[in-house]
Amino acid sequence: MFIIKYKKKICSFFLFILLLVNSNYFNNFLLSNSLFKPKIFISFSPYGNTENIIINFINKASKEILLVMYNFTDKKIANSLLKAVYRGVNVKIILDGNVLRNKQKIKKYLRNTNIKFNYLYRNMHNKFIIIDNNIVGTGSYNYTFNAQNNNAENIIFLEYFPKIVNKYKKEFYRLWYESV
């Protein structure tokens, strides 16, 4: 009798936890917890350390990176994406197909990532990254040498803004399905 009551209590507890995890109450709890308070990081180039900030966020990824970029030539950022792939992170990239001169070279360099090119627009000028469904980075900053060293650029990272992340993720998949 004691064992049956004990099993019922354990099952009830786990059912309660499962319902809690899938509820808005749990999301609100996480956001009210000091570890999960929304955070904002801003960087400006050429005088900021923008490239390293981007790499540090990529290095935090444990599950998924979704990246949309107009132009991409930065080898350090590309290497950090490849390291993420080797850690088991699912990396999906969409690049503007009209601006890149050597697509095969980029495909070869970013091997083991899921990479697509978008040709639908005169300029697919989006520049954003979504990391582990928790972080969005966006701004004028292309992942290029010039963005880091020669241009006046900006990037903002928003961490623990679920509504914003969801909007960017929706846009990512809209672009993903229209790209080749």
Side-chain angles (χ1 to χ4, degrees), residues 70 95-101 103 117-124:
Y70 175 67
L95 301 174
D96 185 305
N98 299 310
V99 73
L100 296 170
R101 290 186 196 101
K103 292 172 198 65
F117 297 96
N118 190 299
Y119 297 93
L120 207 57
Y121 308 97
R122 182 169 180 232
N123 289 311
M124 196 287 305

Side-chain angles (χ1 to χ4, degrees), residues 141-166:
Y141 193 96
N142 280 298
Y143 291 4
T144 64
F145 176 86
N146 282 330
Q148 176 59 34
N149 298 292
N150 300 320
N151 299 345
E153 304 271 358
N154 69 81
I155 193 163
I156 182 169
F157 279 93
L158 306 167
E159 191 169 9
Y160 304 118
F161 287 86
K163 288 181 181 178
I164 295 172
V165 169
N166 287 337

Side-chain angles (χ1 to χ4, degrees), residues 26-39:
F26 184 71
N27 290 331
N28 291 336
F29 167 76
L30 288 179
L31 291 176
S32 66
N33 186 324
S34 64
L35 292 175
F36 296 100
K37 284 190 176 172
K39 298 174 189 168

Side-chain angles (χ1 to χ4, degrees), residues 41-54:
F41 305 86
I42 300 170
S43 184
F44 299 94
S45 64
Y47 305 110
N49 199 10
T50 308
E51 180 184 61
N52 285 335
I53 291 169
I54 293 166

